[in-house]
């Protein structure tokens, strides 16, 4: 009988679950976006496949790749933006999960090529602000480099004319960052329609960063 044990089995199920949550929470549309989890001990990455609806992805469709982007296990094609996921895993020790989504309001800022300033204190889940990285074609090395550089010292980055990327210690916190940055982007957009938002000072965001070391971190039940 064929051995049905798969590499990174829990990560596969988590990726399926959180992919669906992106859609049901209205944080992306159709096949827009991708998710991954890094097994730091074994140096492997579980990543969603390319071009499959999130509600059709099965655990066995998740692709396992190494840090060079080579397929270790799986028959599907990994997300075309796999290198954008690998850059943080290669160079940061605080990120073991990455989510990319095409949210509405963060993408409004992306189209305007604007950073998200700290007009709301919850921006602190990602950093003192969320930078907008220069535009690059999706799935390219240039996009991977731009997203990595502009997410330094941050846990999220806006991708010009594209969407948003977040990174955290696990999928739950990466998802939370996407949610909060999208909410803050919506508030900033709406406030900007009425006037000029008041931006919180650096010292307040430094205080928020300290407070969020505990408050801003969600714990998985697993």
């Amino acid at each position: 009988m064929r051995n049905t044990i798969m590499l990174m089995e829990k990560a596969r199920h988590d990726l399926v679950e959180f992919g669906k949550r992106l859609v049901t929470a209205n944080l992306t549309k159709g096949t827009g976006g991708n998710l991954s989890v890094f097994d730091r001990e074994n140096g492997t990455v579980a990543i969603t496949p390319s071009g499959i609806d999130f509600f059709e992805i099965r655990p066995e469709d998740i692709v396992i790749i190494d840090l060079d982007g080579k397929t270790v296990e799986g028959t599907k094609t990994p997300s075309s933006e796999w290198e954008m996921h690998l850059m943080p895993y290669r160079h940061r020790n605080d990120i073991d999960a990455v989510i990319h989504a095409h949210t509405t309001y963060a993408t409004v800022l992306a189209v305007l090529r604007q950073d998200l300033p700290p007009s709301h204190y919850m921006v602190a889940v990602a950093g003192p602000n969320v930078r907008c990285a220069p535009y690059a074609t999706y799935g390219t090395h240039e996009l991977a480099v731009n997203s990595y550089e502009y997410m330094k010292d941050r846990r999220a980055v806006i991708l010009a004319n594209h969407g948003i990327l977040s990174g955290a210690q696990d999928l739950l916190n990466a998802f939370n960052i996407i949610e909060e940055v999208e909410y803050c982007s919506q508030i900033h957009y709406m406030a900007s329609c009425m006037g000029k938002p008041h931006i919180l000072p650096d010292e307040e965001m430094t205080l928020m960063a300290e407070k969020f070391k505990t408050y801003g971190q969600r714990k998985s039940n697993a």
Side-chain angles (χ1 to χ4, degrees):
M1 181 178 290
R2 182 178 179 271
N3 189 349
T4 58
I5 296 176
M6 299 179 289
L7 292 174
M8 300 184 69
E9 191 154 6
K10 181 182 184 304
R12 291 171 182 267
H13 287 276
D14 290 344
L15 289 167
V16 169
E17 175 193 346
F18 278 95
K20 292 176 182 177
R21 287 178 63 176
L22 280 178
V23 178
T24 56
N26 200 31
L27 294 171
T28 202
K29 301 289 185 182
T31 61
N34 29 75
L35 308 85
S36 69
V37 172
F38 181 37
D39 182 338
R40 193 169 293 274
E41 182 177 351
N42 295 311
T44 54
V45 176
I47 189 166
T48 49
S50 176
I52 302 180
D53 188 282
F54 284 117
F55 281 89
E56 296 178 2
I57 296 175
R58 302 167 300 172
E60 55 265 35
D61 294 326
I62 300 298
V63 187
I64 310 300
I65 61 176
D66 62 20
L67 288 178
D68 292 322
K70 296 178 182 177
T71 297
V72 175
E73 185 175 273
T75 59
K76 305 297 184 184
T77 301
S79 167
S80 62
E81 293 172 328
W82 57 267
E83 192 173 4
M84 186 167 66
H85 289 252
L86 297 189
M87 289 286 282
Y89 299 149
R90 290 171 181 160
H91 303 294
R92 293 180 61 162
N93 59 17
D94 62 328
I95 291 179
D96 289 332
V98 168
I99 297 178
H100 165 51
H102 297 171
T103 64
T104 300
Y105 289 94
T107 305
V108 169
L109 293 177
V111 170
L112 293 170
R113 301 193 180 185
Q114 293 182 6
D115 297 347
L116 172 63
S119 48
H120 191 291
Y121 76 91
M122 284 302 295
V123 170
V125 299
N129 70 345
V130 181
R131 305 184 188 105
C132 182
Y135 179 77
T137 303
Y138 82 91
T140 61
H141 175 71
E142 183 183 5
L143 178 62
V145 172
N146 289 354
S147 63
Y148 171 74
E149 291 293 335
Y150 278 74
M151 200 167 75
K152 282 185 176 178
D153 304 315
R154 305 286 191 276
R155 283 153 63 95
V157 61
I158 294 168
L159 309 173
N161 301 89
H162 190 157
I164 183 174
L165 184 78
S166 74
Q169 69 271 30
D170 54 36
L171 279 174
L172 180 63
N173 281 278
F175 186 88
N176 180 51
I177 291 166
I178 292 282
E179 280 190 308
E180 296 295 351
V181 171
E182 174 65 0
Y183 168 74
C184 292
S185 298
Q186 180 178 4
I187 294 300
H188 186 74
Y189 163 81
M190 295 173 74
S192 297
C193 289
M194 297 183 67
K196 184 176 181 180
H198 290 273
I199 305 304
L200 293 171
D202 292 344
E203 55 269 25
E204 180 64 13
M205 295 308 289
T206 299
L207 174 61
M208 288 300 104
E210 189 63 31
K211 291 172 74 68
F212 276 31
K213 286 180 180 179
T214 52
Y215 172 79
Q217 305 295 310
R218 293 192 176 182
K219 294 183 180 179
S220 172
N221 293 326

